[in-house]
Amino acid sequence: MTAFLLVGAIGVLLLLVSLLFGDQVDALDSVFDLGGDWFSGAALAGFLGTLGFGGALAYDATGSATVGIVVGGVAGVVIGALVGWTMAKLRGNDSGETVRTSELAWREATVVSAIPADGYGEISLVVAGHLTKLNAKAPEPLAAGTA
């Protein structure tokens, strides 16, 4: 039972480390290629915590370490996968692609601050679902409010 509780405690400790230093823990995935979008410190912590504490509960109920390992392992895989899937969804970009500066040319925008003949003004446009305000130059002067 002590081994199960130790594994569960390591899972909780990893969860705390993941909350405080999540980017560094998740950077291990890019170094070691551990599991794509689903791997995260939180998913590993969920797996280890559930394996440890679920295994301890199953061991206490049945008195069999084998049952504890099987029950804790299956529960750990389910919870770890759920946490990994949730983290992947939370990290995901709605549009699925990165917007590049070159893609902003020729998009329809609205002039916010007038654009003089030989200077810059401001425009606003929607990029990947976000209202974006940018500096802009035009071949001819444009008044504020011009599309």
Side-chain angles (χ1 to χ4, degrees):
M1 171 108 89
T2 304
F4 286 120
L5 294 176
L6 183 62
V7 170
I10 290 170
V12 170
L13 181 64
L14 182 59
L15 179 61
L16 291 174
V17 169
S18 178
L19 289 172
L20 296 174
F21 306 105
D23 292 338
Q24 287 78 13
V25 173
D26 291 342
L28 291 174
D29 180 40
S30 63
V31 173
F32 297 109
D33 194 24
L34 296 172
D37 291 340
W38 284 37
F39 179 80
S40 67
L44 183 59
F47 168 74
L48 290 175
T50 306
L51 169 66
F53 296 130
L57 285 171
Y59 176 74
D60 188 47
T62 64
S64 170
T66 304
V67 171
I69 291 170
V70 170
V71 169
V74 169
V77 167
V78 169
I79 295 300
L82 272 170
V83 171
W85 177 78
T86 303
M87 293 301 291
K89 287 294 184 189
L90 289 174
R91 274 192 232 122
N93 186 355
D94 291 340
S95 67
E97 51 186 72
T98 303
V99 177
R100 301 196 185 333
T101 306
S102 61
E103 295 173 357
L104 297 177
W106 305 109
R107 287 187 177 231
E108 186 168 333
T110 303
V111 177
V112 176
S113 297
I115 301 175
D118 292 329
Y120 287 91
E122 287 182 324
I123 60 168
S124 68
L125 67 154
V126 177
V127 179
H130 300 281
L131 184 61
T132 306
K133 198 171 175 183
L134 302 167
N135 292 329
K137 190 173 185 176
E140 59 189 46
L142 296 174
T146 305

